[in-house]
Amino acid sequence: DRPTSDVDVLLANAGCERFVLRCVENELPPNLIHCLRLLRVLELQHDHAVAMRFQRERERRRAEGGNDGDDNDNDNDGGGNTNEDDHDDDGNTNEDDDSASLPATRPVSTRAAKKVSRLLCLLCADASVGEQLRPHLFGLLALSGASYPRSGVHIATAASDVILAFAASCLSASLVWFLHDRKMIVHMTDDVKELCSAAAPSASAPSNSRCLYGPDAEEAGLWVVALKTVVRLVAA
């Protein structure tokens, strides 16, 4: 297929002479990390928007005298998504439980995250990229252990792939000391502990209320991604 975006063009020309050098000169590696972080924000915002539309639709139906269990929510899930998580027929009428029956949100950045991750992995195969990423390592490492809505799990996987590529080729003695001095591994393990906890941190913003923690995060594969990343980074 003919390249259709700038990232496609870069991937198609990754084998060219001095490709990595030109990318480093234009500060592409750190900007790709920023892209991954922005894709996480995009998924958080999209998931929140879908949930809010669904809740507003429910409130409208209730105001009209309807009942969620009798209104056939399968006709409209508020976001154009599958509605397999509706459980109003189980007798849960408490509005505090509404979030449990919200529909799953389809991801909007799967292809973008895959391409950005692939390009970053190619660049991180060159040891010269390591030093340029030094100021941006905290943001990159945090992505692997962060919490996500179900629609954003692919971002954690993409970030983990990049971190593992970085660990395999870019870690110098200087960067290892940098990671230890900044306690980045400690921060990563703290993120894993938080991810494995049964409840979201109390300081979480309302827009992050659908992020996964505890058993839900385990079921989605976030535990495996976060733990694998920490272990392999330390082993490197």
Side-chain angles (χ1 to χ4, degrees):
D1 293 337
R2 187 173 57 184
T4 56
S5 70
D6 292 342
V7 176
D8 289 319
V9 173
L10 289 168
L11 288 170
N13 290 278
C16 295
E17 185 179 1
R18 298 183 179 178
F19 174 78
V20 175
L21 177 61
R22 294 291 177 257
C23 290
V24 170
E25 288 176 348
N26 289 279
E27 299 186 347
L28 182 61
N31 281 303
L32 289 174
I33 291 178
H34 294 324
C35 285
L36 282 179
R37 298 180 67 184
L38 288 172
L39 289 175
R40 178 176 184 265
V41 173
L42 177 65
E43 291 293 355
L44 288 170
Q45 292 178 340
H46 176 65
D47 182 80
H48 179 61
V50 169
M52 291 302 295
R53 286 200 301 271
F54 186 82
Q55 289 179 333
R56 283 196 297 268
E57 179 65 16
R58 276 188 160 181
E59 291 171 359
R60 181 186 65 80
R61 293 181 178 183
R62 285 172 178 167
E64 293 173 353
N67 183 292
D68 281 342
D70 299 325
D71 277 345
N72 190 13
D73 282 343
N74 290 327
D75 291 338
N76 186 355
D77 64 9
N81 302 312
T82 58
N83 203 27
E84 59 189 13
D85 291 328
D86 283 346
H87 302 301
D88 291 272
D89 55 348
D90 293 339
N92 295 329
T93 58
N94 190 331
E95 290 190 9
D96 291 337
D97 296 332
D98 281 353
S99 61
S101 59
L102 290 174
T105 306
R106 292 193 182 99
V108 294
S109 64
T110 305
R111 285 189 297 173
K114 183 177 180 179
K115 291 178 181 181
V116 170
S117 176
R118 182 183 169 195
L119 183 53
L120 258 175
C121 287
L122 287 172
L123 293 172
C124 286
D126 192 301
S128 65
V129 174
E131 282 301 321
Q132 188 178 57
L133 293 183
R134 180 188 291 255
H136 309 279
L137 286 177
F138 188 86
L140 173 62
L141 299 181
L143 287 174
S144 66
S147 180
Y148 296 80
R150 291 191 184 276
S151 59
V153 173
H154 61 284
I155 304 292
T157 302
S160 177
D161 291 341
V162 174
I163 294 168
L164 297 185
F166 175 87
S169 302
C170 295
L171 275 184
S172 62
S174 173
L175 284 173
V176 170
W177 279 111
F178 176 77
L179 293 177
H180 284 291
D181 289 343
R182 298 300 176 91
K183 301 185 184 299
M184 291 191 184
I185 303 301
V186 174
H187 288 301
M188 291 180 75
T189 56
D190 287 343
D191 289 342
V192 173
K193 291 178 185 177
E194 187 175 284
L195 191 65
C196 295
S197 65
S202 58
S204 291
S207 62
N208 293 348
S209 60
R210 276 162 57 89
C211 284
L212 305 177
Y213 292 92
D216 291 334
E218 180 185 17
E219 180 185 358
L222 288 175
W223 286 18
V224 172
V225 171
L227 290 168
K228 175 186 69 175
T229 306
V230 174
V231 170
R232 292 195 181 179
L233 181 60
V234 172

